[in-house]
């Protein structure tokens, strides 16, 4: 299976960028559109565990629209063949100093385009030293 075909990576990078813009601007319609509409879609958030597209959409509709600004770093897009990919990123918010967020998504190509089929978001205390983000370091 080819990994990281340049044209597929570019497609997923564009979908991820669209998601990020929608997230920080609270564009709920776009966020909903970028999640796969199926009962098998799962999103684990910072304070919630959402099973199936209806739960994810309901969460988005009820989520406060303030404090969403963030900066992202160390985003890694990895594609597998032409139809599956993962996106992993770290994020920071000015409202939570001393903490770092982690986000992972599994993307699948569908007839409608790339869609998130699984997502996980968590926030942890900012690690000190090499574990703060240096590749190849064991905890």
């Amino acid at each position: 299976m080819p990994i990281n075909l340049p044209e597929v990576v570019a497609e997923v990078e564009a979908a991820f960028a669209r998601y990020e813009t929608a997230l920080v601007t609270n564009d709920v319609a776009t966020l909903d559109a970028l999640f796969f509409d199926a009962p098998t879609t799962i999103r684990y958030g910072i304070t919630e565990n959402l099973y199936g597209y209806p739960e994810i959409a309901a969460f988005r509709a009820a989520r406060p629209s303030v404090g969403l600004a963030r900066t992202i770093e160390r985003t890694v897009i990895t594609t597998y063949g032409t139809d599956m990919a993962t996106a992993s990123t770290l994020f920071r918010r000015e409202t939570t100093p001393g903490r770092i967020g982690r986000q992972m998504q599994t993307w699948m190509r569908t007839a409608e385009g790339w869609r998130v089929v699984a997502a996980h978001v968590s926030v942890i205390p900012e690690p000190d030293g090499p574990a703060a983000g240096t590749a190849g370091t064991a905890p």
Side-chain angles (χ1 to χ4, degrees):
M1 172 184 301
I3 296 175
N4 287 342
L5 292 168
E7 64 275 13
V8 181
V9 171
E11 291 173 10
V12 179
E13 285 174 341
F16 179 83
R18 185 174 171 219
Y19 177 89
E20 184 64 23
T21 298
L23 182 69
V24 299
T25 61
N26 202 39
D27 180 351
V28 175
T30 297
L31 292 169
D32 286 347
L34 289 172
F35 271 77
F36 187 53
D37 188 351
T40 53
T41 301
I42 295 173
R43 181 184 178 278
Y44 292 149
I46 295 170
T47 61
E48 67 285 342
N49 299 317
L50 307 171
Y51 290 84
Y53 181 86
E55 287 185 17
I56 296 166
F59 167 78
R60 292 273 186 229
R63 183 180 73 148
S65 62
V66 295
L68 301 176
R70 68 186 195 169
T71 58
I72 60 173
E73 57 191 66
R74 299 206 65 177
T75 301
V76 177
I77 305 290
T78 307
T79 64
Y80 303 92
T82 58
D83 300 327
M84 293 298 295
T86 59
S88 307
T89 197
L90 299 176
F91 64 90
R92 298 174 194 277
R93 288 196 163 104
E94 288 184 10
T95 56
T96 56
R99 299 183 64 75
I100 189 163
R102 304 169 305 169
Q103 174 181 306
M104 293 191 74
Q105 300 166 328
T106 302
W107 290 79
M108 177 179 73
R109 182 191 303 276
T110 71
E112 295 77 32
W114 287 95
R115 298 296 183 262
V116 175
V117 296
H120 185 113
V121 182
S122 59
V123 177
I124 62 171
E126 180 77 43
D128 293 325
T134 304
T137 349

